[in-house]
Amino acid sequence: MAGYRRQLYRDDAVVLRVQKLGESDRIITLLTRRHGRLRAVARGVRRTTSKFGARLEPFGHVDVQLAGDPKGNQGSSLHSISQVEGIDLYGKRFLGDYPRYTAASAIAETAERLTPVEREPSLRLFQLTLGALKSLARGEHATTLVLDAYLLRGMAFAGWAPALTACAVCGTPGKHRAFSVPAGGAVCPDCRPPGAAHPAPATIDLMSALTTGDWTYADATGAGVRRECSGLVAAHLQWHLERALRSLPLVDRGSPASGAVPPPGGVGPDVVPPAPGPPPLV
């Protein structure tokens, strides 16, 4: 549009992803507090003389000044970053810690997938994502617990929360023993479809605890229960996304910190095997 001058506006954001552009630039995918997910060009940040290149690394919480139309009605949908101030660069704490780095990657990818429309405000998801990264950075809970809590709460925001305290099909209250991803969660004996999984009762209790924030219970669970929980959560998420997360199979669930041990009795046929998996938030 002739005569259009790009607006300057500020927001605080979490850096979800960075991509190379040309010889010295990058495209930064941000989840912002007030403007939702957006992409912006950071010019010259790959040069050694860049003043703010180190602040635009994945998982950082930053205050950014952007040039462009905040509503995306005018000009290019790709904004420009003109100024960055680091609030807390969590990514620096994950560099030497593979389990936490891969869990943070899964969180960032999930946040991007749960915001399919650019510049659509999603304050609750922003706060959830920021809280999860902060919890990972502080090491407050086991990595896999933080990831699974994040995935469960993120699905709740999207309207995909698994039924845990009532049958997903008929609504009969109670703690049901069968779990079916296609049906939407726990199912009673009358509604149980063929191939439903039969997780341990403690696994369903752990999923409920992570959803409600009962960390006292979650932190006391065993490795096998956590592993089975991760498999169900990952399967439920990817069923609703209708495609696999690329970062989820890379999450380290084999270290003691991750609490990764094969689940008792295995996983049911309609559940994706617990690939390296998800961590929650605080």
Side-chain angles (χ1 to χ4, degrees):
M1 176 180 286
Y4 168 64
R5 300 184 66 182
R6 308 188 90 189
Q7 303 176 46
L8 291 178
Y9 64 99
R10 299 191 74 91
D11 206 342
D12 68 308
V14 173
V15 179
L16 300 181
R17 183 158 57 103
V18 300
Q19 300 165 270
K20 292 181 180 179
L21 178 65
E23 295 182 357
S24 60
D25 306 336
R26 279 180 177 165
I27 297 176
I28 313 295
T29 301
L30 303 164
L31 180 61
T32 67
R33 183 182 295 275
R34 291 180 291 276
H35 300 94
R37 180 180 60 83
L38 54 84
R39 296 186 308 150
V41 175
R43 303 197 181 281
V45 294
R46 291 165 58 199
R47 298 185 184 131
T48 55
T49 56
S50 172
K51 295 181 179 180
F52 54 76
R55 302 170 200 166
L56 290 173
E57 294 296 332
F59 321 131
H61 182 202
V62 297
D63 176 30
V64 295
Q65 178 174 278
L66 300 122
D69 180 9
K71 297 182 179 179
N73 297 324
Q74 295 177 310
S76 170
S77 62
L78 200 60
H79 296 186
S80 296
I81 296 175
S82 57
Q83 188 177 20
V84 184
E85 295 295 334
I87 298 174
D88 206 330
L89 305 180
Y90 300 119
K92 292 183 177 180
R93 309 184 200 180
F94 304 152
L95 292 180
D97 191 321
Y98 182 78
R100 287 198 293 172
Y101 181 87
T102 52
S105 298
I107 288 171
E109 184 181 357
T110 302
E112 191 170 355
R113 298 282 282 278
L114 292 178
T115 50
V117 180
E118 288 194 11
R119 289 181 297 278
E120 185 175 274
S122 184
L123 176 60
R124 294 176 69 192
L125 184 62
F126 170 82
Q127 293 173 328
L128 185 73
T129 304
L130 183 59
L133 294 174
K134 185 180 297 184
S135 180
L136 282 178
R138 292 176 176 176
E140 297 171 336
H141 308 285
T143 298
T144 53
L145 292 181
V146 175
L147 176 56
D148 289 333
Y150 176 82
L151 298 181
L152 284 165
R153 298 183 202 183
M155 286 190 284
F157 294 161
W160 306 334
L164 300 172
T165 58
C167 176
V169 178
C170 67
T172 301
K175 294 183 179 180
H176 303 295
R177 291 296 308 274
F179 190 99
S180 172
V181 170
V187 287
C188 68
D190 293 335
C191 300
R192 178 177 61 84
H198 290 79
T203 299
I204 302 297
D205 290 340
L206 175 57
M207 294 174 70
S208 297
L210 293 175
T211 301
T212 59
D214 184 355
W215 288 104
T216 301
Y217 179 88
D219 289 338
T221 55
V225 170
R226 295 180 186 183
R227 176 76 174 184
E228 191 172 40
C229 171
S230 295
L232 293 176
V233 172
H236 195 83
L237 173 67
Q238 293 177 126
W239 171 271
H240 286 283
L241 289 176
E242 299 182 348
R243 56 184 293 192
L245 290 176
R246 291 174 299 175
S247 56
L248 205 53
L250 303 177
V251 177
D252 184 358
R253 295 186 177 279
S255 66
S258 303
V261 167
V267 183
D270 73 345
V271 176
V272 174
L281 57 101
V282 142

